[in-house]
Amino acid sequence: MQYRQVPKNGDSLSVLGFGAMRLPTRRGRIDEERASRQIRSAIDAGVNYIDTAFMYGESERILGDVLKDGYREKVKLATKLPPWHLTKPEDMETILNDQLKKLQTDHIDYYLLHSLDANNWKKLLDFGVFEFLEKAKAAGKIINIGFSFHGDRKTFKEIIDSYDWVFCQIQYNFIDENTQAGKDGLLYAASKNIAVIVMEPLRGGMLTQKIPDDAKKIYTSAKIKRSPAEWALRWVLNHPEVTVVLSGMNDELHIAENITTCEDAFAGVMTPDELSIVEEVKGIYLRLMKVGCTGCAYCMPCPFGVNIPQCLSFYNQYHMAGNRMMTRGMYGIQLMGGLGGTPAHASLCRNCGKCVSLCPQHIPIPDELKKASKNLDGLRTRALIPIIRMIFSRRKIND
Ligand code: SF4
Ligand code: SF4
């Protein structure tokens, strides 16, 4: 494993951090045994930075158990304070104490203000967040203070300049080089000796699953054979300003592949030819992508049952992947109850607006769902559903 130093405290962090946001599931629940095996084996392979958050469902509680048997001492543990859960200043301490209890630890090594943008930032300032952070630090409950960010670049710089942060966490990958904090923000933070943790290096799977055909051709014709995940991770780690790249891992093969990639994905080693391959792929994505959803599910649950991230993922897939009929068929199965289950398709949106302020990507969700619905909820998908049912019932008989 390759390690990079945090400028302000000298900590040596593995360049690959384990993001515990998308732990493996089984029958709709987190598969705790499998998650434990995955996280412990990653730590055994040298990963020493584990990231979770109050709002990642059961993740903090599960990590508390996973990090028993000496694993807690092997890692730096990061978790986050959710601004949108606060109704009064005292809630900050209540939440931190709850996090320490769930994580079964007496301190958080890296504590972040979660998903800051202009609105959240103002709310935290009004609640006296610095006083809370300093008090928690003096009590030894938190060690290093940082923030994660999903706002605009001007706000990012304002936040960077407002406190002596040890680290920050930004969304960064080859299609987000110029969105949110972007490369400009990355360089700005690094110029202030602030360690930068990168999230969404694979953009919630968009850069590795259902790859546009033209992008596949570019990868296939490249002299060096690499998986799309490897290209994307190497691109992020090629930046010397990046300290850790977080990957929300839940598949043993992907974990092993990422660990291998991170062994020698040193900063500044990608050649101009390699960089131009990524640049070409990026151009294809930016041309085809309809909506910048990362699948984080912060907008969920929808009171009317819409599975927002899945609807938007299918919408992108419809425009990016080759076979539109297949995309419609899968949408019919998964979101329109084609094989039973509760419908969760785009046209169920009643435009109540509840989800809009929760989206860190600032996506106008109801508008995008309307467009997705036009492409995917219509007669052509509905006509496919009986065919899909027939195919599946035949399969059952044949099985
Ligand atoms: S605006 Fe639509 S998708 Fe968003 S919460 Fe309301 S009904 Fe659900
Ligand atoms: S719509 Fe926004 S909040 Fe919802 S999953 Fe996508 S990026 Fe996350």
Side-chain angles (χ1 to χ4, degrees):
M1 178 58 61
Q2 182 197 159
Y3 297 86
R4 294 188 187 176
Q5 271 201 344
V6 176
K8 287 193 183 171
N9 65 16
D11 276 356
S12 194
L13 302 181
S14 54
V15 293
L16 180 66
F18 201 115
M21 175 175 156
R22 299 180 172 105
L23 294 173
T25 55
R26 191 160 172 256
R27 295 195 193 108
R29 296 183 62 84
I30 293 177
D31 183 340
E32 295 190 28
E33 270 184 38
R34 189 170 168 211
S36 178
R37 277 198 304 276
Q38 291 181 347
I39 296 167
R40 287 186 173 193
S41 67
I43 296 170
D44 291 341
V47 169
N48 71 359
Y49 188 86
I50 310 285
D51 172 86
T52 181
F54 184 79
M55 70 168 295
Y56 295 170
E58 291 288 285
S59 172
E60 287 182 325
R61 179 191 62 73
I62 291 167
L63 272 180
D65 286 333
V66 170
L67 296 178
K68 283 178 178 167
D69 305 328
Y71 280 89
R72 173 69 185 91
E73 290 70 36
K74 294 180 184 177
V75 297
K76 299 294 182 189
L77 184 55
T79 193
K80 314 184 187 81
L81 179 78
W84 49 91
H85 275 283
L86 307 174
T87 54
K88 52 188 181 311
E90 304 81 68
D91 291 346
M92 295 189 276
E93 192 169 352
T94 310
I95 287 177
L96 172 59
N97 289 338
D98 183 46
Q99 291 176 302
L100 290 167
K101 198 168 152 203
K102 283 192 287 188
L103 287 161
Q104 303 181 43
T105 185
D106 60 1
H107 69 279
I108 309 293
D109 302 288
Y110 285 77
Y111 198 60
L112 301 93
L113 307 179
H114 197 168
S115 193
L116 294 189
D117 59 16
N119 292 339
N120 287 334
W121 179 231
K122 182 176 180 317
K123 179 177 178 181
L124 288 173
L125 289 177
D126 290 347
F127 277 16
V129 71
F130 291 133
E131 203 183 315
F132 155 73
L133 291 170
E134 289 297 332
K135 200 172 134 205
K137 192 174 170 188
K141 291 180 180 180
I142 59 178
I143 311 297
N144 300 293
I145 297 171
F147 66 94
S148 68
F149 187 79
H150 283 293
D152 61 90
R153 206 151 309 157
K154 183 168 164 277
T155 308
F156 181 75
K157 290 186 177 175
E158 263 172 46
I159 298 173
I160 287 281
D161 290 339
S162 67
Y163 187 71
D164 186 18
W165 309 101
V166 172
F167 71 112
C168 65
Q169 185 169 310
I170 62 169
Q171 174 171 319
Y172 197 59
N173 55 64
F174 65 73
I175 58 174
D176 280 321
E177 198 174 359
N178 294 309
T179 55
Q180 301 188 12
K183 184 164 184 177
D184 192 26
L186 169 70
L187 299 182
Y188 192 69
S191 75
K192 308 252 167 180
N193 284 330
I194 295 172
V196 180
I197 313 289
V198 164
M199 59 183 150
E200 302 288 3
L202 311 178
R203 223 185 193 280
M206 182 186 278
L207 304 184
T208 55
Q209 299 156 10
K210 325 253 168 36
I211 297 163
D213 289 345
D214 287 349
K216 268 188 213 159
K217 279 183 205 149
I218 293 169
Y219 283 141
T220 317
S221 60
K223 273 192 217 134
I224 304 179
K225 300 301 168 210
R226 290 175 176 155
S227 71
E230 185 175 350
W231 279 108
L233 282 181
R234 283 187 183 277
W235 183 87
V236 174
L237 288 170
N238 197 48
H239 297 72
E241 300 84 8
V242 170
T243 309
V244 171
V245 58
L246 283 178
S247 185
M249 302 181 284
N250 55 26
D251 178 292
E252 290 72 10
L253 286 176
H254 296 162
I255 296 170
E257 185 193 346
N258 290 349
I259 288 171
T260 307
T261 300
C262 288
E263 298 285 331
D264 65 350
F266 299 112
V269 297
M270 285 183 86
T271 64
D273 278 355
E274 291 172 322
L275 290 171
S276 73
I277 286 167
V278 177
E279 203 56 34
E280 274 186 75
V281 171
K282 171 184 171 178
I284 290 162
Y285 270 102
L286 292 183
R287 210 174 60 235
L288 297 175
M289 198 170 79
K290 289 287 170 190
V291 55
C293 174
T294 62
C296 68
Y298 289 5
C299 52
M300 295 285 280
C302 158
F304 294 91
V306 181
N307 189 325
I308 302 166
Q310 276 209 42
C311 287
L312 298 182
S313 164
F314 271 109
Y315 179 42
N316 271 333
Q317 204 179 309
Y318 181 80
H319 290 277
M320 289 182 354
N323 190 336
R324 289 188 165 181
M325 197 164 93
M326 177 71 86
T327 305
R328 277 207 187 93
M330 293 310 291
Y331 181 88
I333 293 176
Q334 290 183 24
L335 293 178
M336 297 179 88
L339 293 175
T342 313
H345 50 281
S347 58
L348 293 173
C349 173
R350 290 293 166 267
N351 204 359
C352 73
K354 177 182 170 272
C355 55
V356 178
S357 63
L358 299 172
C359 175
Q361 312 297 330
H362 309 289
I363 294 168
I365 296 171
D367 295 348
E368 296 300 338
L369 286 174
K370 224 180 257 170
K371 294 183 210 159
S373 165
K374 260 192 198 155
N375 287 155
L376 292 160
D377 284 6
L379 279 177
R380 278 188 284 184
T381 301
R382 288 174 199 277
L384 277 173
I385 290 177
I387 301 169
I388 294 165
R389 264 202 213 110
M390 207 167 66
I391 294 169
F392 272 80
S393 62
R394 271 206 199 129
R395 258 200 203 148
K396 266 187 203 152
I397 294 164
N398 293 342
D399 289 347

